[in-house]
Amino acid sequence: MELRPSARGELEITDLNMAYQKLGDLHVQLLGRGTAWLDTGTHSSLLQAGLFIETIEQRQGLKIACPEEVAFRMGYIDRDDLARLARPLAATKYGEYLRQIVDE
């Protein structure tokens, strides 16, 4: 499978999807409510995506794409592991967030 850059000079996810479809190896899963696809191919769209993430995190009090939290909630690590991972980040908002999860 060979992908070539588009007119914008980028590799496009749509071209990759079409290549997998031609191979008969495309598996589709519908994304549920609350899922957002954010294009970040331009400076403007990257800024918009960042502002969207900031808004969601501030309003919900949750982090988006926090791998330590995901690992903990899925049972890949335990509370002690999470606390250990949070320690070096204690002086940051991210570390505070992890600590809150440990203390739940």
XYZ file of all heavy atoms in Angstrom:
823
model
N 0.853 -1.163 0.000
C 0.000 0.000 0.000
C 0.905 1.233 0.000
O 1.757 1.371 0.860
C -0.888 -0.051 1.245
C -1.586 1.202 1.549
S -2.666 1.212 3.017
C -2.536 -0.344 3.788
N 0.681 2.108 -0.957
C 1.487 3.324 -1.040
C 0.570 4.533 -1.021
O -0.342 4.640 -1.830
C 2.325 3.342 -2.316
C 3.213 4.547 -2.416
C 4.032 4.565 -3.690
O 4.317 3.477 -4.231
O 4.366 5.661 -4.151
N 0.797 5.418 -0.080
C 0.038 6.658 -0.014
C 0.910 7.796 -0.522
O 2.112 7.821 -0.256
C -0.394 6.951 1.424
C -1.351 5.949 2.066
C -1.658 6.357 3.489
C -2.635 5.839 1.264
N 0.265 8.708 -1.209
C 0.982 9.879 -1.707
C 0.362 11.125 -1.080
O -0.857 11.163 -0.861
C 0.871 9.957 -3.216
C 1.601 8.814 -3.897
C 1.812 9.098 -5.370
N 2.616 8.032 -5.940
C 2.172 7.159 -6.822
N 0.922 7.229 -7.248
N 2.965 6.229 -7.290
N 1.169 12.130 -0.830
C 0.622 13.370 -0.267
C -0.445 13.977 -1.178
O -0.364 13.896 -2.401
C 1.844 14.291 -0.163
C 3.014 13.351 -0.098
C 2.630 12.177 -0.952
N -1.418 14.588 -0.553
C -2.497 15.264 -1.285
C -1.996 16.596 -1.830
O -0.832 16.968 -1.649
C -3.663 15.513 -0.325
O -3.275 16.482 0.653
N -2.914 17.340 -2.442
C -2.569 18.673 -2.957
C -2.108 19.596 -1.836
O -1.348 20.518 -2.057
C -3.775 19.274 -3.680
N -2.562 19.311 -0.602
C -2.125 20.100 0.550
C -0.739 19.675 1.028
O -0.196 20.238 1.956
C -3.098 19.950 1.721
C -4.484 20.439 1.444
C -5.354 20.431 2.680
N -5.399 19.126 3.344
C -5.817 18.928 4.584
N -6.205 19.936 5.318
N -5.846 17.726 5.103
N -0.203 18.606 0.418
C 1.104 18.115 0.824
C 1.056 17.227 2.051
O 2.075 17.005 2.711
N -0.122 16.684 2.361
C -0.290 15.856 3.550
C -0.806 14.472 3.166
O -1.459 14.300 2.140
C -1.286 16.507 4.514
C -0.831 17.843 5.034
C -1.853 18.486 5.963
O -2.915 17.878 6.201
O -1.584 19.592 6.443
N -0.524 13.495 4.009
C -1.149 12.186 3.870
C -2.537 12.289 4.485
O -2.688 12.779 5.602
C -0.318 11.110 4.570
C 1.082 10.911 4.007
C 1.855 9.897 4.842
C 1.031 10.465 2.560
N -3.529 11.848 3.757
C -4.911 12.021 4.184
C -5.474 10.727 4.755
O -5.303 9.658 4.177
C -5.777 12.482 3.009
C -5.309 13.776 2.355
C -5.481 15.004 3.239
O -6.280 14.963 4.199
O -4.807 16.008 2.950
N -6.177 10.832 5.875
C -6.783 9.663 6.519
C -7.802 9.004 5.582
O -7.943 7.785 5.564
C -7.422 10.034 7.883
C -7.826 8.784 8.661
C -8.613 10.960 7.722
C -6.700 7.993 9.225
N -8.490 9.797 4.771
C -9.467 9.247 3.825
C -8.785 8.340 2.807
O -9.312 7.273 2.462
C -10.223 10.379 3.111
O -10.881 11.159 4.113
C -11.243 9.847 2.136
N -7.610 8.734 2.338
C -6.874 7.890 1.393
C -6.454 6.574 2.044
O -6.499 5.514 1.421
C -5.643 8.625 0.863
C -6.004 9.812 -0.013
O -7.130 9.835 -0.556
O -5.155 10.718 -0.137
N -6.059 6.644 3.297
C -5.691 5.425 4.030
C -6.907 4.513 4.189
O -6.820 3.301 3.958
C -5.109 5.784 5.399
C -4.682 4.616 6.271
C -3.542 3.829 5.610
C -4.257 5.112 7.641
N -8.040 5.091 4.553
C -9.274 4.307 4.678
C -9.637 3.638 3.355
O -10.014 2.466 3.323
C -10.432 5.189 5.147
C -10.299 5.615 6.589
O -9.585 4.989 7.370
N -10.972 6.684 6.949
N -9.522 4.379 2.257
C -9.853 3.809 0.942
C -8.889 2.686 0.573
O -9.299 1.675 -0.014
C -9.865 4.911 -0.116
C -11.063 5.830 0.053
S -11.159 7.315 -1.011
C -10.226 6.943 -2.421
N -7.626 2.828 0.918
C -6.642 1.775 0.632
C -6.995 0.502 1.405
O -6.960 -0.598 0.843
C -5.239 2.253 0.993
N -7.350 0.642 2.680
C -7.759 -0.533 3.455
C -9.036 -1.150 2.885
O -9.190 -2.366 2.857
C -7.969 -0.173 4.929
C -6.691 -0.172 5.736
C -6.248 0.977 6.360
C -5.936 -1.335 5.866
C -5.075 0.979 7.108
C -4.765 -1.340 6.604
C -4.341 -0.183 7.223
O -3.189 -0.196 7.956
N -9.946 -0.311 2.422
C -11.187 -0.822 1.833
C -10.887 -1.645 0.583
O -11.447 -2.731 0.398
C -12.124 0.330 1.510
C -13.489 -0.134 1.013
C -14.425 1.033 0.766
O -13.985 2.158 0.517
N -15.713 0.767 0.835
N -9.998 -1.149 -0.279
C -9.628 -1.885 -1.490
C -9.009 -3.236 -1.158
O -9.184 -4.207 -1.888
C -8.668 -1.063 -2.340
C -9.321 0.074 -3.075
C -8.313 0.876 -3.877
C -8.958 2.098 -4.492
N -7.983 2.959 -5.152
N -8.253 -3.291 -0.054
C -7.639 -4.551 0.379
C -8.642 -5.482 1.060
O -8.332 -6.625 1.358
C -6.483 -4.273 1.348
C -5.259 -3.570 0.769
C -4.296 -3.173 1.888
C -4.557 -4.496 -0.225
N -9.848 -4.970 1.319
C -10.849 -5.753 2.041
C -10.526 -5.855 3.521
O -10.986 -6.767 4.203
N -9.738 -4.910 4.016
C -9.281 -4.982 5.406
C -9.712 -3.756 6.206
O -9.075 -3.395 7.184
C -7.755 -5.110 5.423
C -7.227 -5.718 6.701
O -8.026 -6.329 7.433
O -6.035 -5.573 6.967
N -10.797 -3.108 5.770
C -11.307 -1.953 6.489
C -12.364 -2.424 7.466
O -13.335 -3.070 7.089
C -11.907 -0.933 5.509
C -12.511 0.319 6.150
C -11.418 1.168 6.790
C -13.269 1.129 5.107
N -12.161 -2.119 8.712
C -13.126 -2.453 9.767
C -13.613 -1.145 10.363
O -12.808 -0.339 10.835
C -12.488 -3.332 10.836
C -11.897 -4.583 10.273
N -12.657 -5.675 9.933
C -10.624 -4.896 9.948
C -11.874 -6.615 9.445
N -10.630 -6.166 9.438
N -14.913 -0.939 10.327
C -15.506 0.331 10.740
C -16.238 0.141 12.056
O -16.906 -0.870 12.264
C -16.488 0.845 9.664
C -17.193 2.108 10.105
C -15.751 1.060 8.348
N -16.086 1.124 12.916
C -16.834 1.135 14.165
C -17.433 2.529 14.313
O -16.715 3.534 14.225
C -15.920 0.836 15.347
C -16.649 0.783 16.664
C -15.736 0.351 17.802
O -14.649 -0.154 17.585
N -16.188 0.545 19.005
N -18.730 2.587 14.505
C -19.380 3.876 14.684
C -18.964 4.467 16.022
O -18.890 3.757 17.031
C -20.896 3.720 14.627
C -21.470 3.271 13.284
C -22.983 3.108 13.391
C -21.114 4.245 12.180
N -18.690 5.747 16.004
C -18.326 6.435 17.235
C -19.595 6.954 17.888
O -20.480 7.502 17.217
C -17.364 7.585 16.929
C -16.064 7.163 16.252
C -15.226 8.394 15.897
C -15.273 6.223 17.133
N -19.694 6.791 19.174
C -20.908 7.148 19.890
C -21.041 8.627 20.170
O -20.142 9.434 19.894
N -22.160 8.960 20.740
C -22.448 10.337 21.135
C -21.366 10.829 22.079
O -20.897 10.092 22.947
C -23.808 10.373 21.817
C -24.248 11.741 22.167
C -25.618 11.728 22.762
N -25.967 13.097 23.125
C -27.148 13.447 23.517
N -28.101 12.545 23.624
N -27.391 14.692 23.836
N -20.982 12.067 21.927
C -19.941 12.621 22.775
C -18.554 12.499 22.170
O -17.582 12.987 22.728
N -18.457 11.850 21.010
C -17.183 11.715 20.320
C -17.059 12.852 19.314
O -18.029 13.200 18.641
C -17.112 10.366 19.584
O -17.288 9.316 20.532
C -15.780 10.204 18.883
N -15.883 13.421 19.225
C -15.664 14.504 18.274
C -14.419 14.203 17.453
O -13.403 13.778 17.997
C -15.489 15.825 19.015
N -14.514 14.424 16.146
C -13.351 14.312 15.263
C -12.858 15.726 15.030
O -13.601 16.580 14.547
C -13.738 13.653 13.937
C -12.570 13.611 13.000
C -12.266 14.519 12.024
C -11.536 12.638 12.974
N -11.109 14.157 11.386
C -10.632 12.994 11.962
C -11.276 11.488 13.717
C -9.500 12.266 11.661
C -10.156 10.753 13.414
C -9.285 11.136 12.401
N -11.610 15.978 15.391
C -11.056 17.315 15.258
C -9.933 17.298 14.235
O -8.913 16.649 14.442
C -10.522 17.796 16.616
C -11.529 17.763 17.773
C -10.861 18.122 19.081
C -12.693 18.693 17.492
N -10.137 18.002 13.131
C -9.102 18.116 12.114
C -8.067 19.111 12.626
O -8.405 20.176 13.124
C -9.709 18.615 10.807
C -8.687 18.705 9.682
O -7.574 18.157 9.844
O -8.999 19.318 8.663
N -6.806 18.747 12.528
C -5.748 19.640 12.997
C -4.730 19.891 11.884
O -3.541 20.053 12.139
C -5.053 19.068 14.250
O -4.539 17.770 13.950
C -6.007 18.977 15.413
N -5.218 19.944 10.658
C -4.336 20.079 9.511
C -3.869 21.499 9.219
O -2.996 21.694 8.388
N -4.456 22.482 9.890
C -4.029 23.868 9.688
C -3.767 24.507 11.048
O -4.221 24.000 12.079
C -5.105 24.699 8.960
O -6.249 24.823 9.822
C -5.509 24.073 7.632
N -3.071 25.631 11.043
C -2.821 26.330 12.305
C -4.131 26.691 12.986
O -4.285 26.529 14.196
C -1.992 27.601 12.067
C -0.592 27.312 11.644
N -0.187 27.408 10.338
C 0.493 26.930 12.347
C 1.084 27.096 10.245
N 1.532 26.795 11.443
N -5.075 27.172 12.204
C -6.368 27.583 12.733
C -7.129 26.400 13.332
O -7.666 26.492 14.437
C -7.196 28.236 11.627
O -8.470 28.581 12.113
N -7.179 25.279 12.607
C -7.929 24.122 13.117
C -7.233 23.500 14.333
O -7.898 22.983 15.230
C -8.161 23.089 12.020
O -6.943 22.574 11.530
N -5.905 23.579 14.398
C -5.182 23.089 15.576
C -5.519 23.951 16.788
O -5.768 23.437 17.880
C -3.675 23.086 15.319
C -2.796 22.577 16.451
C -3.137 21.137 16.822
C -1.328 22.681 16.054
N -5.570 25.259 16.607
C -5.947 26.168 17.691
C -7.382 25.884 18.141
O -7.666 25.799 19.345
C -5.806 27.626 17.243
C -6.267 28.678 18.244
C -5.472 28.579 19.547
C -6.149 30.060 17.648
N -8.290 25.714 17.182
C -9.680 25.419 17.515
C -9.792 24.115 18.308
O -10.557 24.034 19.272
C -10.525 25.341 16.252
C -10.741 26.679 15.586
C -11.410 26.544 14.228
O -11.802 25.455 13.806
N -11.523 27.647 13.518
N -9.034 23.110 17.913
C -9.058 21.830 18.638
C -8.550 22.012 20.060
O -9.135 21.477 21.010
C -8.216 20.795 17.894
N -7.482 22.766 20.211
C -6.943 23.014 21.554
C -7.936 23.738 22.443
O -8.101 23.404 23.618
N -8.626 24.730 21.880
C -9.629 25.462 22.649
C -10.820 24.571 23.002
O -11.377 24.674 24.100
C -10.094 26.692 21.864
C -9.034 27.786 21.682
C -9.529 28.856 20.711
C -8.627 28.386 23.020
N -11.187 23.689 22.092
C -12.278 22.744 22.358
C -11.922 21.840 23.533
O -12.713 21.666 24.465
C -12.561 21.911 21.095
C -13.593 20.844 21.287
C -14.941 21.148 21.253
C -13.218 19.530 21.502
C -15.902 20.153 21.427
C -14.166 18.535 21.671
C -15.509 18.847 21.636
N -10.703 21.277 23.501
C -10.251 20.388 24.582
C -10.213 21.148 25.896
O -10.676 20.662 26.936
C -8.861 19.785 24.254
C -8.922 18.913 23.007
C -8.289 19.028 25.442
C -9.847 17.734 23.081
N -9.673 22.368 25.867
C -9.606 23.178 27.091
C -11.001 23.414 27.667
O -11.218 23.287 28.880
C -8.928 24.511 26.795
C -8.856 25.423 28.016
C -8.311 26.794 27.704
O -8.638 27.349 26.629
O -7.556 27.322 28.538
N -11.961 23.745 26.813
C -13.328 24.004 27.261
C -13.939 22.765 27.906
O -14.515 22.838 28.996
C -14.204 24.473 26.076
O -13.650 25.676 25.550
C -15.634 24.713 26.502
N -13.816 21.625 27.252
C -14.381 20.382 27.795
C -13.749 20.052 29.148
O -14.442 19.737 30.119
C -14.189 19.204 26.807
C -14.933 19.463 25.498
C -14.591 17.879 27.441
C -16.432 19.588 25.632
N -12.423 20.124 29.217
C -11.728 19.784 30.468
C -12.129 20.729 31.597
O -12.367 20.283 32.721
C -10.216 19.795 30.262
C -9.729 18.626 29.448
C -8.213 18.511 29.382
O -7.492 19.441 29.810
O -7.746 17.470 28.901
N -12.223 22.023 31.314
C -12.587 22.979 32.362
C -14.021 22.790 32.827
O -14.297 22.833 34.022
C -12.382 24.414 31.866
C -10.925 24.805 31.823
C -10.733 26.252 31.377
O -11.677 26.929 30.961
N -9.502 26.716 31.443
N -14.918 22.557 31.895
C -16.332 22.446 32.268
C -16.664 21.126 32.941
O -17.532 21.058 33.799
C -17.216 22.646 31.049
C -17.177 24.080 30.577
C -18.148 24.350 29.487
N -18.016 25.738 29.064
C -18.762 26.296 28.167
N -19.710 25.605 27.569
N -18.583 27.556 27.839
N -15.982 20.042 32.534
C -16.298 18.730 33.093
C -15.388 18.340 34.244
O -15.681 17.391 34.965
C -16.243 17.666 31.995
C -17.328 17.843 30.961
C -17.350 16.735 29.932
O -16.517 15.835 29.932
N -18.308 16.789 29.039
N -14.249 19.028 34.361
C -13.312 18.678 35.426
C -12.598 17.363 35.168
O -12.081 16.741 36.092
N -12.596 16.930 33.916
C -11.952 15.673 33.530
C -10.876 15.956 32.496
O -10.986 16.913 31.730
C -12.977 14.706 32.928
C -14.164 14.348 33.814
C -15.209 13.604 32.994
C -13.702 13.521 34.999
N -9.849 15.123 32.458
C -8.820 15.247 31.431
C -9.207 14.380 30.239
O -9.762 13.291 30.399
C -7.453 14.799 31.957
C -6.889 15.694 33.035
C -6.428 16.987 32.451
C -5.816 17.879 33.507
N -5.913 19.283 33.148
N -8.888 14.861 29.065
C -9.097 14.091 27.844
C -7.770 13.441 27.487
O -6.736 14.103 27.471
C -9.594 14.998 26.707
C -10.981 15.527 27.073
C -9.604 14.271 25.368
C -11.556 16.528 26.110
N -7.792 12.139 27.227
C -6.602 11.388 26.823
C -5.519 11.400 27.892
O -4.373 11.709 27.630
C -6.059 11.892 25.486
N -5.899 11.041 29.097
C -4.955 10.906 30.212
C -4.582 9.423 30.308
O -5.343 8.626 30.848
C -5.612 11.396 31.493
S -4.634 11.157 32.980
N -3.430 9.017 29.749
C -3.116 7.587 29.677
C -3.018 6.917 31.040
O -3.397 5.756 31.184
C -1.780 7.529 28.935
C -1.266 8.917 28.872
C -2.403 9.849 29.129
N -2.554 7.638 32.047
C -2.458 7.037 33.387
C -3.852 6.732 33.935
O -4.082 5.671 34.517
C -1.721 7.986 34.359
C -0.297 8.287 33.966
C -0.155 9.506 33.051
O -1.174 9.994 32.510
O 0.987 9.963 32.879
N -4.782 7.655 33.735
C -6.150 7.430 34.193
C -6.793 6.267 33.449
O -7.456 5.417 34.054
C -6.993 8.693 34.014
C -8.429 8.501 34.471
C -9.301 9.721 34.263
O -8.906 10.637 33.519
O -10.402 9.739 34.836
N -6.608 6.225 32.139
C -7.172 5.134 31.348
C -6.624 3.793 31.836
O -7.382 2.839 32.055
C -6.882 5.338 29.839
C -7.276 4.110 29.033
C -7.597 6.579 29.318
N -5.306 3.717 32.030
C -4.686 2.466 32.495
C -5.247 2.064 33.847
O -5.526 0.887 34.090
C -3.167 2.631 32.569
N -5.439 3.024 34.737
C -5.977 2.730 36.071
C -7.420 2.249 35.982
O -7.776 1.220 36.548
C -5.877 3.977 36.956
C -6.531 3.826 38.292
C -6.017 2.947 39.243
C -7.661 4.559 38.608
C -6.631 2.803 40.480
C -8.279 4.430 39.839
C -7.760 3.542 40.773
N -8.237 2.978 35.240
C -9.666 2.623 35.168
C -9.901 1.300 34.440
O -10.881 0.619 34.700
C -10.444 3.748 34.510
C -10.306 5.082 35.265
C -11.593 5.813 35.410
N -11.409 7.125 36.004
C -11.545 7.384 37.298
N -11.808 6.410 38.145
N -11.398 8.611 37.750
N -8.972 0.934 33.542
C -9.110 -0.344 32.832
C -8.442 -1.497 33.586
O -8.466 -2.634 33.132
C -8.546 -0.222 31.420
C -9.374 0.734 30.552
S -8.829 0.797 28.847
C -9.373 -0.802 28.261
N -7.824 -1.205 34.723
C -7.235 -2.253 35.543
C -5.827 -2.671 35.153
O -5.321 -3.672 35.641
N -5.178 -1.901 34.268
C -3.812 -2.241 33.869
C -2.795 -1.865 34.942
O -1.715 -2.440 34.995
C -3.443 -1.559 32.549
C -4.300 -2.011 31.387
C -4.974 -1.087 30.602
C -4.427 -3.364 31.063
C -5.753 -1.488 29.534
C -5.204 -3.767 30.003
C -5.871 -2.835 29.244
O -6.641 -3.239 28.187
N -3.118 -0.843 35.721
C -2.286 -0.459 36.854
C -3.183 -0.313 38.071
O -4.393 -0.095 37.937
C -1.499 0.851 36.594
C -2.436 2.033 36.385
C -0.545 0.688 35.410
C -1.738 3.393 36.275
N -2.605 -0.434 39.265
C -3.409 -0.277 40.471
C -3.200 1.118 41.072
O -2.448 1.941 40.544
C -3.110 -1.387 41.482
C -1.680 -1.389 41.994
O -0.994 -0.353 41.901
O -1.239 -2.441 42.505
N -3.861 1.379 42.189
C -3.811 2.690 42.832
C -2.385 3.077 43.219
O -1.979 4.223 43.070
C -4.734 2.681 44.055
C -5.052 4.052 44.603
C -6.150 4.004 45.652
N -7.377 3.401 45.188
C -8.321 4.022 44.467
N -8.151 5.270 44.127
N -9.400 3.396 44.087
N -1.604 2.112 43.704
C -0.211 2.394 44.066
C 0.613 2.796 42.842
O 1.449 3.708 42.911
C 0.433 1.189 44.748
C -0.142 0.911 46.123
O -0.687 1.860 46.752
O -0.049 -0.246 46.583
N 0.392 2.109 41.726
C 1.085 2.470 40.476
C 0.731 3.889 40.057
O 1.599 4.669 39.663
C 0.712 1.509 39.340
C 1.203 0.094 39.568
O 2.286 -0.077 40.150
O 0.478 -0.835 39.148
N -0.557 4.208 40.152
C -1.006 5.540 39.764
C -0.382 6.605 40.663
O 0.080 7.637 40.190
C -2.532 5.624 39.802
C -3.154 6.928 39.326
C -2.741 7.248 37.892
C -4.666 6.869 39.453
N -0.324 6.331 41.954
C 0.296 7.275 42.892
C 1.773 7.465 42.562
O 2.290 8.598 42.593
C 0.120 6.775 44.322
N 2.447 6.397 42.228
C 3.875 6.478 41.875
C 4.067 7.314 40.614
O 4.983 8.139 40.528
C 4.433 5.060 41.679
C 5.919 5.009 41.328
C 6.419 3.574 41.133
N 5.578 2.745 40.285
C 5.495 2.835 38.956
N 6.222 3.728 38.308
N 4.702 2.036 38.264
N 3.197 7.134 39.635
C 3.284 7.905 38.396
C 2.964 9.391 38.625
O 3.507 10.262 37.934
C 2.334 7.329 37.344
C 2.715 5.956 36.800
C 1.561 5.354 36.010
C 3.967 6.049 35.948
N 2.115 9.673 39.591
C 1.715 11.056 39.874
C 2.790 11.832 40.632
O 2.882 13.058 40.493
C 0.418 11.062 40.665
N 3.616 11.134 41.410
C 4.603 11.816 42.263
C 5.501 12.807 41.537
O 5.605 13.962 41.981
C 5.446 10.783 43.014
C 5.047 10.686 44.464
C 5.899 9.700 45.256
N 5.008 8.651 45.722
C 5.052 7.375 45.377
N 5.997 6.929 44.601
N 4.170 6.527 45.830
N 6.165 12.438 40.445
C 7.052 13.408 39.789
C 6.314 14.603 39.178
O 6.930 15.607 38.843
C 7.731 12.601 38.678
C 7.374 11.188 38.893
C 6.216 11.129 39.821
N 4.997 14.482 39.055
C 4.192 15.538 38.448
C 3.426 16.345 39.491
O 2.562 17.151 39.149
C 3.196 14.913 37.456
C 3.817 14.036 36.369
C 2.749 13.245 35.639
C 4.624 14.887 35.411
N 3.751 16.154 40.765
C 2.982 16.726 41.872
C 2.835 18.244 41.786
O 1.819 18.786 42.224
C 3.611 16.327 43.201
N 3.812 18.943 41.246
C 3.764 20.407 41.200
C 2.984 20.941 40.001
O 2.931 22.148 39.789
C 5.186 20.967 41.182
N 2.370 20.052 39.224
C 1.630 20.471 38.032
C 0.139 20.193 38.186
O -0.274 19.379 39.014
C 2.129 19.722 36.779
O 1.758 18.334 36.894
C 3.648 19.837 36.622
N -0.662 20.872 37.381
C -2.112 20.626 37.386
C -2.408 19.178 36.985
O -3.336 18.557 37.502
C -2.831 21.582 36.424
C -2.792 23.010 36.856
C -3.771 23.242 37.968
C -3.825 24.725 38.298
N -4.551 24.980 39.526
N -1.613 18.651 36.073
C -1.799 17.266 35.632
C -1.545 16.312 36.801
O -2.311 15.377 37.032
C -0.852 16.962 34.465
C -1.133 15.664 33.748
C -2.157 15.568 32.830
C -0.346 14.540 33.978
C -2.404 14.386 32.149
C -0.592 13.353 33.300
C -1.620 13.281 32.393
O -1.863 12.104 31.727
N -0.476 16.566 37.544
C -0.176 15.750 38.721
C -1.264 15.846 39.772
O -1.622 14.848 40.400
N -1.799 17.058 39.963
C -2.908 17.241 40.909
C -4.114 16.407 40.478
O -4.798 15.802 41.309
C -3.313 18.711 40.980
C -2.316 19.597 41.683
C -2.728 21.063 41.617
O -3.923 21.362 41.379
O -1.832 21.909 41.788
N -4.381 16.393 39.175
C -5.499 15.613 38.648
C -5.306 14.127 38.944
O -6.218 13.450 39.428
C -5.645 15.858 37.143
C -6.752 15.061 36.503
C -8.076 15.422 36.677
C -6.474 13.937 35.726
C -9.101 14.699 36.095
C -7.490 13.208 35.144
C -8.804 13.591 35.326
O -9.822 12.856 34.760
N -4.109 13.614 38.677
C -3.824 12.200 38.958
C -3.976 11.912 40.440
O -4.504 10.871 40.841
C -2.415 11.831 38.484
C -2.185 11.857 36.967
C -0.731 11.561 36.654
C -3.107 10.898 36.240
N -3.514 12.836 41.272
C -3.606 12.651 42.730
C -5.082 12.580 43.160
O -5.437 11.806 44.053
C -2.878 13.795 43.430
C -2.697 13.609 44.894
C -1.627 12.588 45.162
N -2.156 11.697 46.194
C -1.625 10.562 46.564
N -0.540 10.130 45.994
N -2.158 9.833 47.500
N -5.938 13.396 42.545
C -7.366 13.351 42.847
C -7.942 11.974 42.545
O -8.770 11.452 43.299
C -8.129 14.408 42.051
C -7.912 15.826 42.508
C -8.583 16.826 41.595
O -9.127 16.489 40.537
N -8.535 18.083 41.981
N -7.509 11.390 41.448
C -7.990 10.049 41.083
C -7.510 9.028 42.115
O -8.270 8.159 42.531
C -7.534 9.670 39.657
C -8.154 10.625 38.647
C -7.903 8.224 39.337
C -7.564 10.523 37.268
N -6.259 9.142 42.527
C -5.723 8.231 43.551
C -6.552 8.334 44.813
O -6.843 7.315 45.456
C -4.234 8.570 43.848
C -3.738 7.817 45.080
C -3.350 8.269 42.641
N -6.945 9.540 45.176
C -7.648 9.778 46.442
C -9.154 9.502 46.381
O -9.827 9.602 47.399
C -7.433 11.219 46.903
C -5.977 11.490 47.272
O -5.234 10.520 47.556
O -5.575 12.666 47.273
N -9.679 9.157 45.218
C -11.126 8.886 45.086
C -11.558 7.757 46.001
O -10.879 6.775 46.164
C -11.479 8.506 43.647
C -11.515 9.656 42.700
C -11.854 9.222 41.265
O -11.830 8.015 40.943
O -12.129 10.118 40.463
